[in-house]
Amino acid sequence: PFLLQCSLGFILMAALTAEETELYDRQIRAWGFDAQKRMRESKILVVGLDGAGSETLKNLVLAGLGNITILEDSIVDTRWIETHFYIQQQHLNALVVDVA
């Protein structure tokens, strides 16, 4: 399997910045500052970038999770072309992590 890892630079900060407070305002109103800080400090593994995995990954990023690791070892086939707008015919037989 191939691993891609991305990490936001502000994971180790104790408090939310003004920019984060503005960005995640709706979530903070619903769950509070402590919950948003815990989300920012969390680590999560997403296995598979199929249709559900891609949508889940997008929502996790938008929610402000601090560290997301993606595990994907699939090869692009016609199923990927039909379900992912960014994958084209020329990507057939390539690794999904190279195309996505």
Side-chain angles (χ1 to χ4, degrees):
F2 295 89
L3 289 175
L4 295 177
Q5 188 167 10
C6 59
S7 177
L8 301 177
F10 47 76
I11 290 174
L12 299 177
M13 293 174 49
L16 295 173
T17 65
E19 183 179 327
E20 288 175 296
T21 302
E22 183 179 342
L23 182 62
Y24 303 118
D25 179 61
R26 290 181 183 178
Q27 291 169 203
I28 292 169
R29 289 176 195 222
W31 302 313
F33 282 100
D34 288 339
Q36 190 63 41
K37 285 191 295 187
R38 286 192 308 272
M39 287 175 60
R40 181 190 62 199
E41 294 166 356
S42 67
K43 296 177 182 178
I44 192 163
L45 171 66
V46 177
V47 179
L49 288 177
D50 59 2
S54 296
E55 187 66 20
T56 301
L57 180 62
K58 177 198 74 161
N59 291 328
L60 293 171
V61 169
L62 291 174
L65 271 74
N67 190 323
I68 301 173
T69 301
I70 304 166
L71 177 65
E72 178 60 72
D73 64 353
S74 297
I75 304 292
V76 174
D77 60 22
T78 55
R79 177 184 62 94
W80 284 87
I81 294 172
E82 295 167 357
T83 59
H84 294 77
F85 71 91
Y86 53 87
I87 296 181
Q88 311 273 322
Q89 189 74 27
Q90 70 259 24
H91 298 130
L92 280 173
N93 300 317
L95 291 169
V96 171
V97 295
D98 292 336
V99 176

